[in-house]
Amino acid sequence: MSWIPFKIGQPKKQIVPKTVERDFEREYGKLQQLEEQTKRLQKDMRKSTDADLAMSKSAVKISLDLLSNPLCEQDQDFLNMVTALDTAMKRMDAFNQEKVNQIQKTVIEPLKKFGSVFPSLNMAVKRREQALQDYRRLQAKVEKYEEKEKTGPVLAKLHQAREELRPVRDDFEAKNKQLLDEMPRFYNSRLDYFQPSFESLIRAQVRRLPPLLPWRMAQHCFSWWGGGCGLRTSPAPPHTLEVGLATFSHHPRPPQHCLRGGIQALLVVG
């Protein structure tokens, strides 16, 4: 970040300790990675919600197409079955729309707000880098006059160069200290910021899971949650679409340790 290929006009004196520069680059690198992962997560969440809505809309269209099939006029049992399917798919579509609205409010919008911080951060880093270059330039100027013979004009120029250097050095040190203090604090805040969003997302998946799912889908949900949360996965009769998900009544909300474990796995960076 502050690597300079040519040493022309650079001071001989090390004005920023190497340990400080390494600390700065490490903290900024972590935030650059966090920015990239935040963008990717926001993009993937949008893809997920779009896919959910597309799936339920397609399912509704299929059930409507089946209702218009001439066989429904000839076979009452078939009509009853397709009508039940149509009702189930419409309820599924309504559930998906409600779920997507909740994800938009509790996950996507907070992700967007969190991501809006990074442009300001990147601009602050650029201002710090510019201040560092000015600091180096003026420090090299001071050193040049210090090496010359101490005549009256040289001493006057040396005094002027030191006066120019002082505010520039103070400006850089202030910017550097502020960023070194704030970057780790911002990075460490990510878990506290996102945890409520992902808890809300997981609870929406569990508490609002509609009762009109084919049993294979319900069984898949049980097996996914059952391993981590101790949910019982006893079989249910597969002869009807209206499979009640009463198994979830034992845990109207996932245990906190299960939520936190999953969220921290998502958000740990670098």
Side-chain angles (χ1 to χ4, degrees):
M1 182 170 22
S2 56
W3 175 74
I4 299 178
F6 304 104
K7 297 295 184 180
I8 299 174
Q10 294 301 309
K12 297 177 182 178
K13 178 183 176 182
Q14 181 73 37
I15 61 176
V16 181
K18 291 182 179 180
T19 55
V20 173
E21 199 65 20
R22 280 198 300 266
D23 289 345
F24 184 90
E25 292 178 358
R26 182 187 66 249
E27 295 301 328
Y28 185 49
K30 287 160 63 176
L31 288 178
Q32 287 178 306
Q33 186 180 5
L34 179 60
E35 179 182 17
E36 179 60 31
Q37 293 192 350
T38 301
K39 289 179 180 178
R40 190 183 310 130
L41 183 58
Q42 184 179 357
K43 183 178 179 181
D44 289 344
M45 287 301 304
R46 291 191 182 279
K47 285 183 178 179
S48 174
T49 54
D50 289 346
D52 272 352
L53 288 177
M55 178 199 69
S56 60
K57 297 295 183 187
S58 296
V60 169
K61 185 177 184 305
I62 290 171
S63 64
L64 289 174
D65 289 343
L66 287 172
L67 279 173
S68 63
N69 192 298
L71 187 59
C72 288
E73 299 177 1
Q74 305 170 14
D75 190 330
Q76 185 62 41
D77 290 338
F78 182 73
L79 174 61
N80 293 339
M81 182 178 66
V82 172
T83 301
L85 175 65
D86 182 59
T87 301
M89 294 304 100
K90 287 178 178 176
R91 290 178 63 181
M92 175 70 78
D93 184 47
F95 158 75
N96 271 340
Q97 185 61 62
E98 186 178 1
K99 184 183 70 173
V100 166
N101 290 340
Q102 183 170 349
I103 291 173
Q104 177 68 33
K105 292 178 182 178
T106 61
V107 181
I108 296 177
E109 289 179 7
L111 278 169
K112 184 178 179 181
K113 184 177 180 181
F114 189 80
S116 68
V117 175
F118 291 104
S120 299
L121 169 68
N122 294 330
M123 185 59 64
V125 171
K126 288 182 180 179
R127 286 195 293 265
R128 182 255 188 197
E129 184 65 22
Q130 183 59 53
L132 177 58
Q133 297 306 317
D134 293 341
Y135 183 12
R136 284 174 171 156
R137 177 177 55 81
L138 290 173
Q139 179 64 36
K141 185 177 179 181
V142 168
E143 291 176 0
K144 181 182 73 172
Y145 288 126
E146 287 177 341
E147 293 172 355
K148 289 186 176 183
E149 184 180 353
K150 300 300 187 289
T151 63
V154 170
L155 290 174
K157 290 180 179 179
L158 175 60
H159 176 73
Q160 182 181 356
R162 285 173 175 169
E163 290 298 312
E164 292 175 0
L165 174 63
R166 186 178 299 110
V168 172
R169 179 184 60 219
D170 293 344
D171 180 54
F172 166 74
E173 290 177 351
K175 286 181 169 65
N176 188 61
K177 184 179 185 303
Q178 183 180 17
L179 283 169
L180 283 174
D181 289 342
E182 293 184 359
M183 287 193 299
R185 190 180 305 126
F186 176 67
Y187 179 80
N188 292 331
S189 72
R190 71 199 190 285
L191 287 176
D192 290 337
Y193 182 86
F194 284 120
Q195 183 161 312
S197 294
F198 284 100
E199 286 186 1
S200 177
L201 171 62
I202 294 171
R203 287 171 186 156
Q205 301 284 350
V206 176
R207 297 176 71 177
R208 300 190 181 207
L209 202 60
L212 297 176
L213 284 175
W215 173 243
R216 289 186 182 273
M217 187 180 295
Q219 197 172 40
H220 173 71
C221 294
F222 285 132
S223 64
W224 186 71
W225 277 98
C229 300
L231 299 178
R232 60 183 176 90
T233 57
S234 56
H239 61 276
T240 175
L241 284 173
E242 299 196 9
V243 177
L245 299 183
T247 304
F248 283 101
S249 65
H250 292 278
H251 289 283
R253 50 187 286 180
Q256 292 297 318
H257 73 273
C258 181
L259 290 172
R260 293 194 183 99
I263 294 164
Q264 288 174 357
L266 282 170
L267 295 176
V268 170
V269 180

